Amino acid sequence: MRHRMVRESGGGHQKRNTGSPGSAPAPDRPVREDRFAGGPAGRAPDRAAGRSADQPGDQPAEQYADRFADQEEFSRRTLAAADFPVYGVVGGAPVDGVPVDRTRAGGTSAGEALAAFETSGGELRWVEVQCGDWRSAAGPYVTVRTYRPGADRGEQLPELEDLVEDERDRVYEQLGVDEGDGPGRVRALRAWITVDGEPCAVEVHEDRPVPEPGAPAAAGPEPVWAGRLRVGGLTVTVCGRGVAPGALELGSIGDFERCLRGRTELLRDLAARRARHVPVEERELPPVVGMEAHRALIAQSVAESAAIEAQVRVGRTPRLPRGLRGEVGAVRWEAAVRQQMRLATETREEAVAAVASMVNHLNRLSQQTHWLVGTPEGEAAVEEVVRYTVFASEVASLPAQRAWAQLWRERPGGGGAGVWEDQRLAEQLWLSAWEQWRAARR
């Protein structure tokens, strides 16, 4: 008698999203109005950002416009309550020391815009503004983030390396340009940035990506730099591309209206791009043969987990390599679900649940063992999990498949110590079943 894995609904390609800006927060939970959402055409963004303008759907134009107005008014009220100075670039982001002409460069794409802010417990924690040509990977483009007084004593501020990677994330998400994953060629520099007319020393972290093999060095991505400085008791971070730190002049912002209008304009632009996006579920995808879609999805998922673990081990902020994010993962997920529906004769809900269980099974096995990746027995295990998922085959690892089905089905959503102890014992039985399978193979 064949044993069929118990499936639960849900699952899907994972997106790292948070709640909408301006939504009611839980007490003392930071609320972040983040960088603008909207990746390249057809690509789901990975980072939480501007959700209220990210998914226009089928809303009437008047209602859609109201959402922009509400977003702008929410930001206006928040910034009006700021009890510390907020700094930005004076005169626009310069090229070769000459400020950009906003009109000639095309409206606020070369001017100021509110990029992000964060509140906690009703208190504004930091504000970030941007200046320059956000549509160009060459820049010039600068972001300036001002933290409230004492922020560096109460929390660990982002490392400069993370600010550089955040900027490369922005270019990837908004422009579809993958500048490679850092670190590349790194330099620590000392520079001077003019603040309110006075030169201020700043330590700068510069990262120049290493060109692909065979590519001319001159054709590679531009360096991105980030620096941190102290201004009158405040911590200010600056990140830029296409402009040297010494060419910048910062000053406190007296009127945020230009920044607010700039943000709204950018949100409209990005939302228009998203409106042209066709969800992957509605697209015609290239044909796949047999269970290749399942294998490709597993390979990517395991690679994602390994990349995150490697970054955590060396103390870096965990983030997926850009080549593993967004569109490529969504397409692989959808291809595997469609093939599961066809080969296993399942509904879409059943197929989504089956694929979710399969991916999580092998992800956890890769995290709990040393043999799944890069060994013959690991390849055999993947094949058996795939065949069991699709056809409920009587594979040699059937006890492990059944143990995982119970472990996955009964995973706790909460509960006390007893629930977690039951889960721990179930995981031990599952891993033991895989070890017995390995011993039998030997």
Side-chain angles (χ1 to χ4, degrees):
M1 177 179 179
R2 299 202 314 168
H3 175 83
R4 192 67 174 166
M5 184 185 297
V6 177
R7 314 200 191 283
E8 69 172 35
S9 61
H13 179 64
Q14 299 301 306
K15 302 182 181 69
R16 294 179 293 161
N17 293 346
T18 61
S20 301
S23 59
D28 297 324
R29 180 180 177 182
V31 177
R32 180 165 174 164
E33 178 86 351
D34 211 336
R35 293 175 185 273
F36 309 103
R43 182 181 178 278
D46 292 293
R47 303 175 65 239
R51 299 296 166 202
S52 64
D54 186 32
Q55 299 170 347
D58 298 321
Q59 298 174 354
E62 295 82 2
Q63 183 178 348
Y64 193 34
D66 288 344
R67 296 183 69 181
F68 287 123
D70 291 344
Q71 173 114 354
E72 184 174 311
E73 183 56 31
F74 171 74
S75 300
R76 182 176 288 107
R77 291 196 307 270
T78 302
L79 296 183
D83 56 356
F84 57 92
V86 175
Y87 285 87
V89 177
V90 175
V95 181
D96 296 329
V98 180
V100 170
D101 184 318
R102 295 186 183 90
T103 305
R104 178 171 53 83
T108 54
S109 66
E112 299 92 340
L114 173 65
F117 61 79
E118 184 173 278
T119 62
S120 179
E123 182 179 75
L124 188 61
R125 301 174 67 179
W126 53 260
V127 178
E128 181 177 297
V129 295
Q130 67 179 54
C131 180
D133 189 356
W134 70 271
R135 296 182 181 92
S136 170
Y141 180 83
V142 179
T143 59
V144 182
R145 179 181 296 186
T146 309
Y147 289 87
R148 71 174 301 104
D152 54 338
R153 296 192 298 271
E155 62 180 296
Q156 184 176 356
L157 302 186
E159 298 291 338
L160 299 181
E161 294 90 335
D162 290 322
L163 299 182
V164 169
E165 286 300 299
D166 286 345
E167 167 57 16
R168 297 208 187 281
D169 281 348
R170 180 196 68 84
V171 168
Y172 179 64
E173 292 168 8
Q174 295 182 355
L175 307 179
V177 177
D178 186 353
E179 297 181 316
D181 296 290
R185 295 193 181 98
V186 174
R187 294 194 302 167
L189 310 173
R190 181 175 176 84
W192 295 87
I193 292 179
T194 302
V195 182
D196 291 331
E198 297 292 332
C200 185
V202 56
E203 298 295 329
V204 173
H205 171 89
E206 180 192 83
D207 190 331
R208 183 183 296 271
V210 178
E212 293 291 333
E222 290 291 322
V224 176
W225 58 267
R228 181 178 290 116
L229 58 155
R230 298 281 295 175
V231 181
L234 300 172
T235 299
V236 178
T237 59
V238 186
C239 183
R241 62 168 65 234
V243 56
L248 293 179
E249 181 177 354
L250 306 184
S252 61
I253 301 173
D255 185 355
F256 287 103
E257 283 305 309
R258 185 194 296 275
C259 295
L260 293 168
R261 291 195 301 270
R263 179 179 179 84
T264 299
E265 181 179 328
L266 292 178
L267 287 173
R268 287 198 182 101
D269 191 327
L270 292 167
R273 298 183 183 202
R274 293 289 296 160
R276 297 191 292 269
H277 166 66
V278 178
V280 67
E281 295 84 358
E282 300 175 11
R283 293 187 226 163
E284 182 177 349
L285 301 181
V288 293
V289 177
M291 295 176 288
E292 285 303 315
H294 291 68
R295 297 186 187 102
L297 178 62
I298 289 167
Q300 170 164 338
S301 182
V302 171
E304 290 177 356
S305 297
I308 293 295
E309 287 184 11
Q311 293 175 30
V312 170
R313 280 197 301 270
V314 298
R316 291 182 61 84
T317 301
R319 64 177 83 216
L320 283 179
R322 282 177 276 274
L324 295 177
R325 302 184 201 175
E327 180 75 350
V328 63
V331 169
R332 284 176 178 161
W333 176 272
E334 178 63 20
V337 168
R338 292 185 190 182
Q339 197 70 341
Q340 178 73 16
M341 293 170 64
R342 187 177 73 83
L343 296 176
T345 319
E346 293 178 336
T347 65
R348 183 174 185 86
E349 183 180 27
E350 291 171 332
V352 165
V355 172
S357 177
M358 175 192 72
V359 167
N360 281 277
H361 188 170
L362 291 167
N363 265 348
R364 191 178 301 189
L365 194 59
S366 72
Q367 294 164 2
Q368 299 289 345
T369 68
H370 65 278
W371 52 265
L372 184 70
V373 178
T375 68
E377 60 185 354
E379 294 176 2
V382 169
E383 286 302 307
E384 292 195 17
V385 171
V386 171
R387 284 196 288 125
Y388 184 77
T389 300
V390 176
F391 298 119
S393 301
E394 295 285 339
V395 293
S397 59
L398 187 59
Q401 308 295 337
R402 289 174 172 169
W404 171 258
Q406 180 176 350
L407 183 63
W408 180 245
R409 180 175 65 251
E410 297 178 359
R411 64 194 186 279
V419 174
W420 288 103
E421 177 64 16
D422 291 343
Q423 181 78 354
R424 186 184 67 82
L425 292 174
E427 182 170 85
Q428 288 180 349
L429 290 173
W430 163 65
L431 290 172
S432 177
W434 274 114
E435 287 305 314
Q436 292 173 18
W437 170 83
R438 293 180 67 208
R441 283 176 56 85
R442 290 194 294 267

